[in-house]
Amino acid sequence: MKNICKSLRDLLGTEYISAVCEAQAFLTGEEQAKFAAVADEKIDFFPEDFQVRMDDLLSSVSTKVCNGLENSSGGAAAASFAGAQHNEMAPLAGLGPIRIGENGKAYLAGKSEHYHASLGHHFPGYRLIENAKKIGICNVTHNNTRGYITRILERELIRVANGLAKDDLAGLKKVLASKEEHVLNRVTNLETGSLAVEASLKMMLARFHRLDSTYNTPKYSGKTPVFLVMADNQGGKQANYHGTTVLTQILRGMWPGFYEKLEAAGLFKVVPVKINNIDFFADTVKKYDTGKYKIAGFFHELILMNYGGIKLTQEFVSATHALCHEHDIPITVDEIQSCIWSPELFMFKEYKCKPDFVSVGKGFPGGQYPASKILTTAAMDSLNQFGALVTNGQEELASLSYLITMEFAETNSQETRKVGEYYNAQAAKLVAKYPQMIEELEGEAHMTTFVFKSAGLTNKFTAYLNKECCIDVSAQTYKADCPPVALTKLPLISSYRTVDFVIAKMHEALEKLELKTCLRRK
């Protein structure tokens, strides 16, 4: 992969950096030149020796490399979290895709530390964050004092979302000024994906109910808002996952008693639509976009990472979005899971669709900070500050981590595309070799998932990889009629050698499972 060598001044511009250094010199009484030197330090984002070291460390995965921590803390977690805790795997240190657990063993982050360490641990480019601290850049801001870096980031997100080149300032100016529907040109800075998605839900609700007494009567006042979500294979709501706020949990079938009362009162209705079934979607729109009902919005991921890693087809997305645009139904594409892993940075761009909301987070700040955003249009920008207020949602160093990740991802988009395609192709060979165990692949590229013939096989496969090979892979076997899958999400910095290592260990696991199955039959 290509290395990038940039300073803070390169990334943020001379005028801003000079102003920061001058202000910090006044505050500290030190020479401005001292801070300027730090701002001018060129940082290698992904030097060759770092890449070589990552590959060399693969041979240490699953071995005990240090003494570890014998007397660890038990913490004081809630019961459900305490029951799921694995202290032995908790990090002592990490480098790239490798993490050293408290037991002293080396682990491979096969799920990018649950989907957010897009560039692994201690990505060298993030040293610019430390330099930003040294020159006095303030992390703490507020909604009314959003810092320069955050404002630069907002424009960068809009630029990339609209497919504009970095030097297309005229194009960006036009997009930012647009009042047209389905043109993403507004960003609300939040802290978690849950709050980002909920912000879009609130903007949809604002077309039915007034946010406060200062608002005019909404367009669809008096109608019952109906929200469409992806259905599970039994027609229920467990396939979708759009956060942990009460309303987004209701979208996936939680709080059933509370929801029943909301529905009975005509305040809120959730209708699941079958995965990749265009006719069912059309029939649902016909049924609920009339009379006392009005479809308030359609929420979906592009890869259902919480339901088998199932990928929505191009045909389904194109047809349903066209129908939504025809019926004035806002669309939220939830990219909290998929963003940055696409070579386009936003996966919705690969589908060439025009949603009204796009939520982003997790991979963009690379696990450095909790920092999510909701991108929307001028037409849907209806909340006042208190409608989606988060005190820490626009931290400057969090915004800087976004810019660093985006710089690397854009520069290496073609290489990460090739590595992702290679991983998927090698995974397909496992399906062909072990058809009696693996049904098919879902997801795509770095987010490839393996659909097994049974939940038992999935559990045994992932248990072997986790315990014997120390490779993080999740078994998703706990939802209604969910395909029994093994989920992976390799970091974007994964090399071909990393892919070969993971595939080899998967082959080893499948070979042992096949042997055990044969012995039982005998």
Side-chain angles (χ1 to χ4, degrees):
M1 292 188 182
K2 297 175 185 174
N3 181 33
I4 304 166
C5 189
K6 288 200 170 186
S7 66
L8 283 174
R9 193 183 298 274
D10 294 331
L11 202 62
L12 302 176
T14 290
E15 187 174 356
Y16 169 71
I17 288 298
S18 296
V20 168
C21 292
E22 181 184 11
Q24 186 68 357
F26 165 76
L27 289 171
T28 62
E30 299 184 66
E31 292 294 326
Q32 185 174 333
K34 170 188 172 181
F35 303 110
V38 175
D40 288 331
E41 182 188 5
K42 300 278 188 180
I43 298 295
D44 284 318
F45 279 36
F46 203 49
E48 186 177 346
D49 60 348
F50 184 86
Q51 298 184 51
V52 170
R53 181 59 181 165
M54 286 195 311
D55 282 346
D56 289 345
L57 287 171
L58 291 172
S59 61
S60 299
V61 172
S62 79
T63 63
K64 192 173 176 67
V65 298
C66 64
N67 291 328
L69 178 65
E70 289 187 13
N71 299 311
S72 187
S73 170
S80 60
F81 287 88
Q85 176 68 13
H86 292 280
N87 283 357
E88 72 280 2
M89 298 170 64
L92 290 178
L95 191 70
I98 308 298
R99 165 182 19 99
I100 309 300
E102 288 187 11
N103 60 4
K105 283 189 174 183
Y107 291 83
L108 181 72
K111 303 197 312 291
S112 297
E113 306 299 23
H114 206 75
Y115 313 151
H116 61 292
S118 54
L119 304 183
H121 292 280
H122 293 294
F123 178 69
Y126 291 140
R127 282 181 55 199
L128 285 179
I129 298 173
E130 301 308 312
N131 282 1
K133 294 177 185 178
K134 291 176 183 177
I135 68 170
I137 290 177
C138 294
N139 189 40
V140 181
T141 67
H142 187 54
N143 293 274
N144 299 340
T145 55
R146 291 165 22 260
Y148 177 85
I149 302 175
T150 296
R151 285 176 276 133
I152 289 292
L153 170 62
E154 291 166 358
R155 295 169 71 91
E156 274 294 277
L157 289 169
I158 295 305
R159 176 188 69 78
V160 175
N162 285 277
L164 301 173
K166 282 192 173 185
D167 58 355
D168 189 359
L169 299 181
L172 180 58
K173 183 179 180 181
K174 182 179 179 181
V175 164
L176 290 171
S178 176
K179 301 293 185 181
E180 294 181 22
E181 293 184 331
H182 319 305
V183 176
L184 297 169
N185 60 4
R186 307 288 171 90
V187 179
T188 300
N189 302 291
L190 298 151
E191 195 152 32
T192 70
S194 296
L195 294 178
V197 177
E198 190 194 39
S200 72
L201 192 154
K202 290 175 182 175
M203 289 183 228
M204 292 174 183
L205 275 178
R207 306 205 306 166
F208 294 79
H209 301 285
R210 294 189 301 163
L211 176 67
D212 61 35
S213 60
T214 65
Y215 279 65
N216 295 324
T217 301
K219 183 176 184 180
Y220 295 113
S221 178
K223 298 271 189 179
T224 296
V226 179
F227 294 94
L228 305 184
V229 297
M230 301 313 305
D232 58 48
N233 288 336
Q234 291 182 349
K237 303 169 186 172
Q238 293 191 49
N240 79 90
Y241 185 101
H242 299 293
T244 57
T245 61
V246 173
L247 289 181
T248 54
Q249 285 182 335
I250 285 175
L251 295 182
R252 57 184 169 119
M254 298 177 72
W255 306 101
F258 182 39
Y259 169 68
E260 287 168 10
K261 291 183 178 181
L262 288 173
E263 185 180 17
L267 296 176
F268 197 89
K269 187 172 180 61
V270 181
V271 177
V273 294
K274 292 182 179 179
I275 298 170
N276 290 327
N277 190 318
I278 298 169
D279 291 338
F280 187 92
F281 189 92
D283 290 342
T284 302
V285 170
K286 185 177 181 180
K287 180 178 180 180
Y288 289 107
D289 206 53
T290 186
K292 68 177 182 179
Y293 294 119
K294 169 61 189 165
I295 299 180
F298 175 33
F299 288 81
H300 71 84
E301 296 175 282
L302 294 165
I303 296 181
L304 309 182
M305 290 300 287
N306 285 277
Y307 198 72
I310 297 172
K311 183 180 179 182
L312 298 190
T313 64
Q314 177 70 63
E315 294 75 18
F316 177 78
V317 172
S318 296
T320 55
H321 282 219
L323 200 56
C324 286
H325 291 169
E326 181 184 338
H327 287 263
D328 189 25
I329 299 170
I331 304 160
T332 293
V333 173
D334 186 352
E335 289 235 34
I336 297 297
Q337 297 273 25
S338 55
C339 64
I340 212 70
W341 266 270
S342 165
E344 300 288 337
L345 276 64
F346 297 96
M347 187 169 282
F348 82 87
K349 290 172 61 183
E350 296 186 44
Y351 283 79
K352 295 179 170 53
C353 59
K354 290 185 174 294
D356 303 276
F357 300 95
V358 177
S359 61
V360 297
K362 284 193 187 294
F364 264 105
Q368 302 304 299
Y369 294 90
S372 294
K373 322 281 179 185
I374 190 73
L375 279 58
T376 191
T377 67
M380 294 304 300
D381 180 16
S382 60
L383 298 182
N384 59 30
Q385 278 195 346
F386 288 97
L389 182 68
V390 176
T391 302
N392 298 328
Q394 51 286 312
E395 295 175 329
E396 286 285 83
L397 298 183
S399 296
L400 180 57
S401 69
Y402 261 75
L403 291 173
I404 294 166
T405 309
M406 292 170 70
E407 187 78 23
F408 175 81
E410 276 198 285
T411 301
N412 285 283
S413 62
Q414 293 310 308
E415 186 61 23
T416 54
R417 185 187 297 277
K418 291 175 185 175
V419 174
E421 290 173 349
Y422 177 72
Y423 177 46
N424 192 263
Q426 297 305 108
K429 292 179 182 179
L430 289 179
V431 178
K433 186 173 178 62
Y434 300 98
Q436 72 281 13
M437 285 187 278
I438 310 177
E439 190 84 39
E440 60 181 340
L441 296 180
E442 275 288 1
E444 71 166 33
H446 296 75
M447 295 181 284
T448 294
T449 67
F450 300 79
V451 184
F452 280 79
K453 297 280 188 179
S454 70
L457 285 171
T458 310
N459 289 329
K460 289 174 182 176
F461 174 74
T462 55
Y464 185 87
L465 289 174
N466 286 325
K467 294 176 182 178
E468 303 300 325
C469 304
C470 292
I471 299 176
D472 289 339
V473 176
S474 285
Q476 197 172 77
T477 58
Y478 56 90
K479 289 189 177 181
D481 201 28
C482 177
V485 302
L487 290 169
T488 67
K489 194 171 188 179
L490 300 184
L492 283 178
I493 57 173
S494 298
S495 65
Y496 291 101
R497 279 186 62 185
T498 302
V499 170
D500 289 341
F501 178 83
V502 171
I503 292 293
K505 292 300 181 182
M506 288 179 171
H507 173 81
E508 180 183 309
L510 291 165
E511 202 169 45
K512 288 185 181 295
L513 276 177
E514 185 179 50
L515 179 60
K516 287 181 180 179
T517 302
C518 291
L519 288 174
R520 277 199 302 271
R521 286 174 181 168
K522 290 180 180 179

